[in-house]
Amino acid sequence: MAVGCAHSKRTPEAELPKYEHVFQKPLTEAMAATRQLLEERGYAFEDTEDPNQLVTTWSDPDRAGTRNTTYTRYLVTGVALSPRQSVVRIFRMTQQTTGNDAEWKKLWWKVYLERAEQLSNPFVKEVDFDQDDAATKRLSMLRAAQHGTRDLDLEQALTLRLESAPSVEVLAGNVAEEKRPTAVRAPEFYLERWSEEAPAEGPCTTSVRGLPQLLHPGLTLLIGEQLGTNEVPDVVGHVVCQAAQAGLAVVLGLSLPDTEQARVDRYLASPGAPADQDALLEGRFWTRTYQDGRSSRAVMDLIDRARALRAAGLRVSVVAYDTDVLNGSERDAAQAQVWTQRRAAKPDEVQVVLAGNTHTRMQKGTKWDPAFTPMAHLMKDRSLVVLEMSYAQGTRWGCDLDRDSKLVCGLVGATPAPAVAARAGLSPYIQLKETSPTEGLQGLLYVGQLTPALPALLGPQGAPPTDPTPAPRLPGGFMHR
């Protein structure tokens, strides 16, 4: 029997998950992704009246000359919690048919019935025996009660498909900027680092384990992230601070368009007061209709942290290395050129470059573009270290295409693939891993459980509304958001 996923032996307690996972997706999109996942594994579907349910056809078991057979199919049930929140439950249904060959006295009857059974499916139609209608009734009685269990492996595959995809980055192009009125904001909007006294223990309050062993003049540290989190900019700030406090000159690379460089430079040279923060956020990048996570409050805070490190006497600079007028491989080639040219001009500088994890891949090609050449592939040299983000499951702010190919930005679920998954609550650390000589030095940067970093400016719509709908609970009272 062909089954779409492997099933390990589970105890009765393991048949239910400890919590319901809530997708930050409309139910229609979550169900469409579930249907696609099952179709890719070879399953066909029956028609259902309820659009929030999917039912596959019964499988054809491997018949080995016996009338004891097991049929399987999948039942999928979706629950809409809000317009952009949903729960999907996948059940693996089984039904067994049992025969008693001992009651058949003549061998030819057994051969005849087994042959008829091999050519039939009791869930489609009754077996038509011309010679003995009693045989038809006997096979009809072989049907038994159905049994269903949650397929946690398939649910995990669905979660990774919906929540572990690369971040979508929205390019504004060379659209002319409009003059905007001077912002009037409440006092609590502004970062307060500018008015606070420097901590007595120094600017670096958190150490990243494993970083001192990597630090050396000329290091290029390329960090791939899922956009729109609080944790990644926070930990990258620790990395920059720790490297600068070691006496090294450090440049922080952010995926901002190079048109923002002048504003960033002015801000780094300013006291960071509210008026300076307003001036930083005047650019189109911060006020785009679609905020993809690169212009988050956490990124704004990271720039302000770099300003504070400079004010404390550390050698830190910030480079906006992205472009809004190129796309695909051309965009990544332009990004890589920024850093190769800067390395030639400043051979001893430590480069800490933060980028979406599609750009930090060492190998060419993606699912959507086999010819794509990422930035990291073009930056290969002995001093390059590529770190992939390691994290615990959470949520982030990002953009995605809905079923109508329209761009939608908001809260997005973030589920790590097994290779980068880690438990929550640990202090940040770097862990190197073995790779081939062609891949260069690579590793993981642990950042913790992800939480969403909202856009630094949300425009006239204000903050996204909170959803008062509680997540459904399972026996035991466990709940997950």
Side-chain angles (χ1 to χ4, degrees):
M1 178 175 66
V3 179
C5 56
H7 293 273
S8 58
K9 186 175 181 180
R10 300 184 185 276
T11 63
E13 294 79 8
E15 291 183 355
L16 286 176
K18 292 183 178 180
Y19 56 79
E20 292 276 35
H21 182 70
V22 178
F23 293 117
Q24 303 295 327
K25 293 276 188 182
L27 180 59
T28 53
E29 294 186 16
M31 294 295 285
T34 308
R35 187 183 188 97
Q36 183 183 37
L37 178 64
L38 288 169
E39 286 176 341
E40 291 175 357
R41 300 190 178 204
Y43 292 96
F45 293 87
E46 296 182 358
D47 294 332
T48 58
E49 295 182 1
D50 187 349
N52 297 336
Q53 279 194 337
L54 297 174
V55 179
T56 66
T57 57
W58 289 102
S59 63
D60 292 326
D62 181 17
R63 303 174 192 268
T66 175
R67 292 164 62 203
N68 300 329
T69 57
T70 300
Y71 295 86
T72 62
R73 71 175 175 184
Y74 280 101
L75 169 65
V76 180
T77 300
V79 181
L81 303 182
S82 73
R84 282 193 58 81
Q85 287 186 319
S86 58
V87 169
V88 176
R89 301 169 183 148
I90 304 177
F91 297 89
R92 185 172 184 266
M93 312 298 295
T94 60
Q95 179 166 291
Q96 292 182 334
T97 60
T98 305
N100 183 4
D101 292 343
E103 66 185 60
W104 300 97
K105 305 300 183 181
K106 297 180 180 179
L107 180 62
W108 71 270
W109 268 109
K110 294 174 64 176
V111 174
Y112 182 82
L113 288 174
E114 287 177 0
R115 176 61 179 168
E117 186 180 4
Q118 291 173 3
L119 298 177
S120 68
N121 187 330
F123 300 102
V124 177
K125 63 180 179 178
E126 298 290 344
V127 179
D128 183 15
F129 292 98
D130 296 331
Q131 298 185 12
D132 191 349
D133 185 65
T136 303
K137 296 180 180 179
R138 285 181 181 274
L139 284 183
S140 300
M141 295 172 61
L142 295 180
R143 301 177 182 181
Q146 299 179 22
H147 177 66
T149 57
R150 291 283 285 273
D151 193 321
L152 304 186
D153 298 327
L154 200 55
E155 289 187 9
Q156 176 69 4
L158 174 64
T159 302
L160 290 174
R161 171 165 296 202
L162 288 174
E163 299 189 349
S164 191
S167 306
V168 174
E169 298 175 352
V170 184
L171 305 182
N174 52 3
V175 179
E177 294 187 19
E178 299 177 359
K179 181 64 177 178
R180 294 178 178 82
T182 303
V184 178
R185 302 186 175 103
E188 56 268 20
F189 170 85
Y190 296 100
L191 302 174
E192 298 180 351
R193 193 178 283 111
W194 69 278
S195 61
E196 298 172 349
E197 294 185 4
E201 64 273 20
C204 304
T205 57
T206 301
S207 296
V208 179
R209 289 177 286 144
L211 178 60
Q213 295 90 318
L214 286 178
L215 289 178
H216 62 82
L219 169 67
T220 298
L221 201 58
L222 190 54
I223 301 172
E225 66 159 335
Q226 290 273 22
L227 303 178
T229 73
N230 288 303
E231 288 67 31
V232 175
D234 183 57
V235 173
V236 169
H238 298 325
V239 170
V240 171
C241 189
Q242 194 170 345
Q245 199 169 48
L248 298 169
V250 183
V251 56
L252 169 63
L254 296 178
S255 185
L256 280 62
D258 51 14
T259 52
E260 296 294 321
Q261 187 66 57
R263 291 187 182 89
V264 171
D265 291 340
R266 286 194 295 268
Y267 186 76
L268 295 178
S270 74
D276 303 316
Q277 297 179 38
D278 287 336
L280 173 67
L281 301 176
E282 284 181 352
R284 182 177 181 83
F285 175 73
W286 302 95
T287 57
R288 296 168 298 163
T289 303
Y290 299 102
Q291 299 287 319
D292 56 19
R294 293 179 295 153
S295 49
S296 69
R297 178 82 171 182
V299 172
M300 175 187 174
D301 184 80
L302 180 56
I303 296 173
D304 186 63
R305 188 170 181 181
R307 178 202 58 77
L309 294 179
R310 289 166 61 93
L314 299 180
R315 292 185 292 167
V316 175
S317 55
V318 178
V319 169
Y321 67 87
D322 207 347
T323 173
D324 252 355
V325 297
L326 297 175
N327 217 332
S329 295
E330 291 183 352
R331 179 186 175 204
D332 276 58
Q335 293 173 341
Q337 187 177 27
V338 171
W339 297 111
T340 54
Q341 291 180 349
R342 189 174 181 99
R343 173 61 67 216
K346 299 178 181 292
D348 294 332
E349 186 179 55
V350 173
Q351 298 177 348
V352 179
V353 183
L354 184 59
N357 52 15
T358 300
H359 308 286
T360 60
R361 296 164 55 94
M362 296 295 290
Q363 304 299 326
K364 290 185 178 181
T366 62
K367 292 181 179 179
W368 58 90
D369 184 1
F372 176 72
T373 303
M375 172 177 64
H377 180 80
L378 301 172
M379 294 172 60
K380 289 182 179 180
D381 69 23
R382 296 179 181 178
S383 66
L384 176 65
V385 177
V386 178
L387 299 180
E388 190 172 2
M389 182 179 73
S390 173
Y391 59 100
Q393 185 183 53
T395 55
R396 62 183 182 89
W397 178 278
C399 297
D400 201 358
L401 297 176
D402 64 12
R403 296 182 65 191
D404 298 324
S405 297
K406 294 181 179 179
L407 198 61
V408 178
C409 300
L411 297 184
V412 178
T415 297
V420 299
R423 65 184 179 90
L426 304 177
S427 60
Y429 63 84
I430 292 174
Q431 180 181 11
L432 298 181
K433 59 183 180 180
E434 295 183 1
T435 57
S436 65
T438 59
E439 292 180 330
L441 191 58
Q442 298 185 48
L444 300 176
L445 175 63
Y446 172 79
V447 299
Q449 185 176 17
L450 300 187
T451 58
L454 302 185
L457 296 177
L458 290 176
Q461 295 181 352
T466 56
D467 180 21
T469 307
R473 293 180 179 270
L474 286 175
F478 293 97
M479 182 174 68
H480 178 70
R481 299 292 287 184

